[in-house]
Amino acid sequence: MKTVETENEGLKRGFMLTIPAKDIEARVDQEVKRIAPQVRMPGFRPGKVPPNLIRKMHEDSLRGDALNASVQEGVQQLLTEQKIRPAMQPQVELDEGYAHGKDAEVRVNLEALPDVPTPSIDDIALDRLTVEPDADALEEQIKTFASQSKRWEDAPKKHAAANGDLVVMDFEGSIDGTPFEGGKGEDMQVELGSGNLIPGFEDGLIGAKAGDSRNVEVKFPDDYQAKNLAGKAATFAVTVKNVKTAGEQKIDDDFAKSLGLTDLEQLRGLIRGQMEQELNGLTRTHMKRQLLDQLASRHDFPVPPSMVEAEYQNIVAQLRHEASHEEDEKAALAEIEADADDYRRIAERRVRLGLLLSEIGSANGVDVTEQEMQRLVMQAASQYAPKDRENFVRYIQQEPMAAAQLRAPLYEDKVVDFLFAKAKINDRKATRAELEADLESEEGHVHGPGCGHDHGEKPAKKTAAKGKAKAAAKDEAVAEAPAKGPVEKASAKPKAAKPVKDAAPAKAPEAKAEAKPAAKKAPAKKK
């Protein structure tokens, strides 16, 4: 094989590979010999079909397979000889003039991973803000929990239903006098004022008493999931079977026992444990922010533009998803566009930090074990319907890039834990409010190359969701996996039309883009 370098600028590399025709023919001969014992043809004993007839029968597929194998082997040989680690999948293109019997000329273009300088990790100092669960907050959570576990009691017969009461009813909906599919229900319970029904329905039940029958006039939302009902006026014939009021829920041992616990103290212990786990997570995130800021400030080296672009698209897609929940979605999107350069710097920072963490892990023997990887696969597979789990496991086994993306977060966490163990830790007590404010702030961190800030400029006022998303973006690195692709939205199947708000289509959940360049696809997650 002949190799000619066509481009060498920064991390961009280009080559022209020439694969001799005789090498391709040799592969065809090998394949003919391999399949000959399996070929069956009338007039010949099994395994005795002449090679020239086998060639004639399978000419196109044999040559196609031989050419593909030659190109793959040639690209791999090129990467080995040139000692190149590609940042993303190399672009491989066969010359259009190729024909049978000619040498194959193949263009290979790629971006190489940079030579990462020896990371500086010996004098890292971190603050560990420790927060004790607040006693008042603990009691408030127990009260909230008790309020969500309401004890309903039958109201007096002449009691008129009000907000906060529970109405038990039968109903049947119709449009222009004609009942519609999915519009009928029996013994349905709804808490008035909860907002669980389509607009106007709960209001139409205010004042109703047990035994009442009334017609409730409503209009289905324009974006209602059942398209045949969207935007249409409907009448629901309702029979109120019972009205219940919320009895006082005493917070005592009996309440705890109703939850299957021993006593109230055990409930307090469980909630305290949940609070401690959440606070520990916030503390770790705060320490990780400091660690990544220090690593970013100490290291500056070129990173592959293709990885930066892919990570930028991932960040922007996540921010746009957050913007879709803002009151003024257009204004939020405009802010994202205005700060595009800022997000590109964050994307570059994340890619650079990912390469640093990979280098640190590799140099210090940090790895994800086979058992840990199997556990990751099983956990991810559990998100799919039972019939799709085997397909998902097979997909991960066959797609190295998909496996790398699944593995990357755990690998990153293990490298971060390694660096925490080496760092000088200064323990400092703080309140939850102080810890959360520090996490959401875009200031107060170590400044330096790659930190993602436009130094010297006063930050613009941000929407709440966008500010949190931006802060969270800085807490991540793209370790040991190619940059993720844009976030895609999963589709939701329509449900039967009912007067419940939840039957309207919710915005589809985010789903990670599939790893390229494979043609295989992972099975769809269960809804």
Side-chain angles (χ1 to χ4, degrees):
M1 182 183 72
K2 180 182 177 182
T3 303
V4 177
E5 188 174 60
T6 58
E7 183 180 9
N8 190 339
E9 182 179 352
L11 298 176
K12 291 185 177 180
R13 305 291 297 275
F15 301 89
M16 176 66 80
L17 306 183
T18 302
I19 302 174
K22 61 181 180 63
D23 291 351
I24 299 174
E25 287 301 313
R27 283 187 179 274
V28 173
D29 291 338
Q30 291 175 2
E31 189 63 13
V32 169
K33 291 179 181 179
R34 187 185 70 81
I35 67 172
Q38 308 164 25
V39 175
R40 299 291 186 270
M41 183 179 291
F44 295 94
R45 286 181 298 165
K48 299 298 182 179
V49 180
N52 63 320
L53 289 180
I54 295 176
R55 278 175 173 269
K56 187 174 181 180
M57 290 172 60
H58 305 283
E59 180 83 19
D60 291 341
S61 62
L62 287 171
R63 293 198 179 283
D65 291 345
L67 180 60
N68 286 336
S70 297
V71 170
Q72 289 180 17
E73 185 178 287
V75 172
Q76 190 57 51
Q77 182 180 334
L78 164 71
L79 298 177
T80 301
E81 291 176 351
Q82 298 290 330
K83 298 180 180 179
I84 297 174
R85 294 183 303 158
M88 304 286 276
Q89 192 75 11
Q91 295 179 348
V92 181
E93 183 180 357
L94 179 66
D95 185 75
E96 292 181 358
Y98 173 74
H100 164 51
K102 294 178 60 177
D103 294 346
E105 293 188 336
V106 181
R107 295 182 183 85
V108 181
N109 293 289
L110 57 89
E111 283 182 344
L113 288 175
D115 293 327
V116 180
T118 303
S120 174
I121 60 174
D122 291 330
D123 57 347
I124 294 175
L126 304 173
D127 287 336
R128 178 163 54 200
L129 303 187
T130 56
V131 181
E132 293 294 329
D134 182 81
D136 291 338
L138 172 61
E139 294 304 316
E140 197 60 38
Q141 281 208 29
I142 293 177
K143 289 179 181 178
T144 300
F145 188 61
S147 69
Q148 295 171 348
S149 305
K150 292 181 180 178
R151 181 167 51 84
W152 296 105
E153 299 174 347
D154 290 341
K157 289 184 178 181
K158 294 185 178 181
H159 176 79
N163 280 334
D165 291 344
L166 187 76
V167 173
V168 183
M169 63 180 177
D170 294 342
F171 63 88
E172 183 172 14
S174 61
I175 295 176
D176 296 330
T178 303
F180 54 86
E181 184 179 358
K184 185 176 182 179
E186 296 180 351
D187 294 325
M188 179 178 174
Q189 298 184 9
V190 60
E191 182 180 348
L192 300 189
S194 65
N196 288 331
L197 305 189
I198 58 178
F201 200 102
E202 292 174 30
D203 292 340
L205 296 175
I206 298 293
K209 303 179 182 65
D212 283 358
S213 294
R214 60 171 59 184
N215 291 330
V216 179
E217 308 287 340
V218 297
K219 180 183 177 183
F220 283 98
D222 292 336
D223 61 351
Y224 195 71
Q225 188 165 2
K227 300 302 182 185
N228 62 315
L229 301 177
K232 292 185 178 181
T235 300
F236 282 89
V238 177
T239 299
V240 178
K241 303 177 77 170
N242 199 3
V243 177
K244 299 187 177 188
T245 56
E248 181 182 357
Q249 178 65 69
K250 293 183 179 180
I251 301 176
D252 52 17
D253 287 344
D254 289 337
F255 169 59
K257 289 177 181 178
S258 71
L259 301 174
L261 303 177
T262 303
D263 52 27
L264 183 58
E265 196 54 39
Q266 185 182 12
L267 175 60
R268 283 199 178 95
L270 289 173
I271 295 179
R272 186 183 296 109
Q274 292 174 353
M275 293 176 68
E276 289 174 346
Q277 186 175 8
E278 183 181 2
L279 291 169
N280 289 339
L282 292 174
T283 296
R284 177 184 171 83
T285 299
H286 183 256
M287 289 178 64
K288 183 179 175 183
R289 166 82 63 81
Q290 297 173 68
L291 172 66
L292 296 182
D293 280 344
Q294 290 189 40
L295 289 176
S297 70
R298 297 178 181 196
H299 304 88
D300 187 18
F301 53 87
V303 293
S306 60
M307 291 182 72
V308 174
E309 177 62 24
E311 193 58 33
Y312 167 75
Q313 294 297 337
N314 183 46
I315 291 172
V316 170
Q318 292 174 338
L319 288 169
R320 286 175 178 161
H321 177 74
E322 294 291 334
S324 69
H325 299 294
E326 294 279 351
E327 287 187 15
D328 191 343
E329 182 177 350
K330 289 184 178 179
L333 291 172
E335 286 184 12
I336 295 171
E337 293 299 322
D339 286 347
D341 290 343
D342 203 7
Y343 292 121
R344 285 193 182 277
R345 283 191 288 271
I346 290 177
E348 182 176 335
R349 162 193 164 100
R350 286 173 63 166
V351 172
R352 183 177 290 111
L353 285 169
L355 295 173
L356 275 170
L357 293 179
S358 291
E359 185 68 22
I360 292 168
S362 177
N364 292 278
V366 178
D367 200 3
V368 174
T369 66
E370 186 64 31
Q371 291 80 3
E372 288 171 332
M373 188 63 192
Q374 289 177 359
R375 189 159 55 247
L376 284 176
V377 173
M378 291 301 103
Q379 288 173 350
S382 67
Q383 300 177 49
Y384 294 82
K387 63 185 178 64
D388 291 327
R389 289 173 188 170
E390 186 176 339
N391 291 338
F392 174 80
V393 173
R394 190 181 305 112
Y395 167 75
I396 293 297
Q397 291 172 341
Q398 295 175 351
E399 301 299 328
M401 293 180 72
Q405 287 188 345
L406 187 63
R407 179 178 184 270
L410 177 58
Y411 180 83
E412 179 181 314
D413 282 344
K414 295 185 75 169
V415 177
V416 167
D417 286 339
F418 167 79
L419 291 171
F420 282 169
K422 285 184 63 67
K424 179 181 178 181
I425 304 296
N426 175 38
D427 285 303
R428 181 160 57 89
K429 289 188 176 182
T431 65
R432 180 181 183 128
E434 290 171 340
L435 180 55
E436 289 180 339
D438 209 16
L439 279 171
E440 293 182 12
S441 172
E442 292 181 25
E443 300 178 323
H445 71 290
V446 178
H447 289 262
C451 75
H453 267 89
D454 198 354
H455 304 296
E457 295 184 6
K458 186 177 180 180
K461 185 178 180 181
K462 311 295 179 189
T463 60
K466 180 165 167 279
K468 290 180 181 179
K470 188 170 184 178
K474 292 177 59 195
D475 296 332
E476 297 186 29
V478 188
E480 253 222 347
K484 305 180 187 76
V487 172
E488 297 177 343
K489 289 188 176 181
S491 59
K493 294 182 179 179
K495 300 177 183 177
K498 293 182 181 179
V500 284
K501 184 179 180 181
D502 292 343
K507 293 198 173 175
E510 293 181 348
K512 289 189 177 179
E514 295 161 5
K516 301 291 184 178
K520 302 182 182 69
K521 295 183 178 180
K525 288 184 181 180
K526 64 184 178 182
K527 301 293 187 293

